[in-house]
Amino acid sequence: QVQLVESGGGLVQPGGSLRLSCAASGFTLDYYVIGWFRQAPGKEREGVSCISTSDVSTYYADSVKGRFTISRDNAKNTVYLQMNSLKPEDTAVYYCAVGKGWGPRGPILSEYDYWGQGTQVTVSS
């Protein structure tokens, strides 16, 4: 059974850091493109970061470049999203998903399958 489970969310003050985890079961993450997405209340789900197979390339939304880092630990079958210098506008539910890749404008949601349940990130003082 294919399953993705996100964890690591929480409440953090502006300027703080969190590391999100996306643990996979039922398949090997290294063989697939993995994306991190987020959805804030009243807004559409948006792509945040993606990592290609064999970690050849990565994508970051302009809003998180220089602050977020995506990585993969194949031994743990887990993809991480290290989030630094967090801002209130980063508040959202964060999801990971398996997909086909991304284009110049980022990942296309319809090309991503097997979504996790999400983890809440709240940035507030």
Side-chain angles (χ1 to χ4, degrees):
Q1 180 182 0
V2 173
Q3 190 175 17
L4 293 172
V5 177
E6 302 96 335
S7 62
L11 173 64
V12 63
Q13 292 186 342
S17 298
L18 284 174
R19 187 179 77 160
L20 305 184
S21 300
C22 172
S25 60
F27 70 104
T28 302
L29 271 179
D30 190 35
Y31 298 158
Y32 298 91
V33 173
I34 304 300
W36 280 100
F37 300 80
R38 67 186 180 186
Q39 187 165 20
K43 294 188 177 181
E44 294 185 352
R45 192 169 297 188
E46 63 175 353
V48 175
S49 182
C50 304
I51 188 166
S52 68
T53 56
S54 301
D55 302 351
V56 172
S57 58
T58 55
Y59 161 84
Y60 295 97
D62 288 343
S63 58
V64 307
K65 278 181 182 176
R67 301 188 297 122
F68 290 11
T69 303
I70 191 169
S71 62
R72 194 195 303 259
D73 185 335
N74 293 332
K76 296 182 178 180
N77 210 27
T78 299
V79 171
Y80 301 99
L81 185 68
Q82 177 67 43
M83 306 187 298
N84 298 328
S85 302
L86 283 162
K87 305 175 180 180
E89 51 263 43
D90 294 318
T91 295
V93 178
Y94 284 70
Y95 303 87
C96 62
V98 180
K100 297 180 180 179
W102 60 89
R105 296 183 180 181
I108 299 173
L109 270 65
S110 60
E111 295 184 351
Y112 280 74
D113 304 310
Y114 302 115
W115 293 78
Q117 83 290 349
T119 184
Q120 176 70 48
V121 171
T122 302
V123 185
S124 175
S125 56

